[in-house]
Amino acid sequence: DRAAAIADMRFSFIQELVAQTVVKPHESKEQLRSNRIDKFLTGKYTAIPAFIAIMGLVFFLTFNVIGLFFQNLMETGINALTGIVDTALTNWNVNAAVHSLLIDGIFTGVGSVLSFLPIIVVLFFFLSMLEDSGYMARAAYNADGIMRHVGLSGKAFIPMLLGFGCSVPAVMAARTLEGKKERFAAVMSVPFVACSARLPVCLMLAKTFFSANPAAAAVAAYFASVTVAMLCAALLSRSGRREKRMFILELPDYKMPSLRSVFTYTFDKSKEYLKRAGTVIVLASAAVWALCGTYGA
């Protein structure tokens, strides 16, 4: 498009001007190493498979190994604490309504929030390591050509990908996009992507209605969710006045992630998850408890 052509001409002019005036004694070891790595990670035919492999490993470790281990540990602790509080309230002859509110309303809501916290922490930990190492900028660069077909830039690909894990961090990541219209389109389309919490539901429905081949039905449901999310993003980004934004991104040299930066990023994002999502989930759990009317039983 015209915006990309103008950006290309500007960079060509800058490169010609730099070649005539700037004298570089030698390239640093970091630049040479980054160029060698980029031949594979940003190559024409290897960029997307490498990205799928890296993010697949991240999601596998998050939802099947490390995150799952800490989630089970957290759920065991929450169940034990709930049992202790339940026994104490029973021994103290606390009012039945108050007892039910604390156990079925408050503890259920807090438990549902905290049970997902280990997965959120582990996911943000790996993403912050990729970000600090310099790879996430390459991922956005590689995805830019694909995402422009639906009116989004390469930066919107990361929230879409996070949607497979959990919609909450995906929406939080979409809020960092620069353009107001692009940000709105990404935030509204990300929830259509099937997250990990919907996987048991998809499997149950697939086994119930498609007993002949439930695995194929579940995979088809996942692809359908991605298709709907892309269609939603395309409709929202193309409605109204079009935003012409050039996607200019600096690719930093690869480096070892700083543990301080990684832990700071992980802590801030996890705290934001507890603050924004946790409050809503706890209040909603208490509201569902009140609407069910189980406190009188």
Side-chain angles (χ1 to χ4, degrees), residues 39 44-45 86 149 155 179 187 196 208 210 217 246 252 256 284 289 295:
K39 288 181 180 179
K44 184 177 181 180
Y45 301 105
D86 189 14
H149 291 293
K155 293 182 179 179
V187 168
S196 61
T208 302
F210 304 93
M246 290 183 293
M256 288 296 295
W289 166 86
Y295 51 88

Side-chain angles (χ1 to χ4, degrees), residues 187-256:
V187 168
M188 295 301 293
S189 59
V190 158
F192 287 105
V193 177
C195 65
S196 61
R198 301 175 196 171
L199 179 59
V201 179
C202 289
L203 293 177
M204 181 189 67
L205 294 176
K207 190 174 181 180
T208 302
F209 295 102
F210 304 93
S211 57
N213 198 346
V219 172
Y222 261 66
F223 277 105
S225 69
V226 175
T227 303
V228 173
M230 291 296 185
L231 289 176
C232 178
L235 290 174
L236 292 175
S237 61
R238 283 172 169 76
S239 61
R241 195 165 64 92
R242 296 287 299 275
E243 279 186 348
K244 298 295 290 184
R245 303 184 65 86
M246 290 183 293
F247 183 66
I248 300 176
L249 183 67
E250 179 183 0
L251 300 181
D253 293 334
Y254 289 99
K255 64 182 182 69
M256 288 296 295

Side-chain angles (χ1 to χ4, degrees), residues 105-117:
I106 304 300
F107 268 80
T108 301
V110 173
S112 62
V113 173
L114 293 180
S115 63
F116 275 99
L117 182 61

Side-chain angles (χ1 to χ4, degrees), residues 51 72 91 101 108 123 136 147 159 173 179 250-251 276 291:
F51 175 76
N72 293 334
N91 295 333
L101 172 63
T108 301
L123 181 61
M136 292 306 280
M147 299 301 293
E250 179 183 0
L251 300 181
R276 296 184 178 275
L291 292 174

Side-chain angles (χ1 to χ4, degrees), residues 52-194:
I52 294 174
I54 291 173
M55 297 310 300
L57 178 62
V58 168
F59 281 118
F60 175 76
L61 294 176
T62 300
F63 295 101
N64 295 94
V65 183
I66 302 176
L68 181 63
F69 170 77
F70 286 109
Q71 185 182 30
N72 293 334
L73 196 64
M74 180 72 74
E75 289 178 348
T76 302
I78 292 172
N79 293 334
L81 180 61
T82 303
I84 294 173
V85 175
D86 189 14
T87 304
L89 293 176
T90 302
N91 295 333
W92 295 340
N93 294 322
V94 177
N95 181 272
V98 177
H99 188 162
S100 180
L101 172 63
L102 291 175
I103 299 301
D104 301 326
I106 304 300
F107 268 80
T108 301
V110 173
S112 62
V113 173
L114 293 180
S115 63
F116 275 99
L117 182 61
I119 290 180
I120 299 297
V121 171
V122 174
L123 181 61
F124 277 126
F125 175 78
F126 282 120
L127 292 179
S128 61
M129 288 189 66
L130 294 176
E131 179 75 31
D132 206 42
S133 66
Y135 177 72
M136 292 306 280
R138 272 83 177 175
Y141 165 76
N142 294 330
D144 183 61
I146 300 174
M147 299 301 293
R148 282 202 176 274
H149 291 293
V150 296
L152 301 176
S153 67
K155 293 182 179 179
F157 187 72
I158 304 304
M160 288 286 185
L161 187 69
L162 289 176
F164 287 101
C166 181
S167 297
V168 175
V171 173
M172 290 163 54
R175 292 170 57 238
T176 62
L177 299 177
E178 297 175 358
K180 182 179 180 180
K181 192 171 183 179
E182 181 184 12
R183 184 166 59 247
F184 175 76
V187 168
M188 295 301 293
S189 59
V190 158
F192 287 105
V193 177

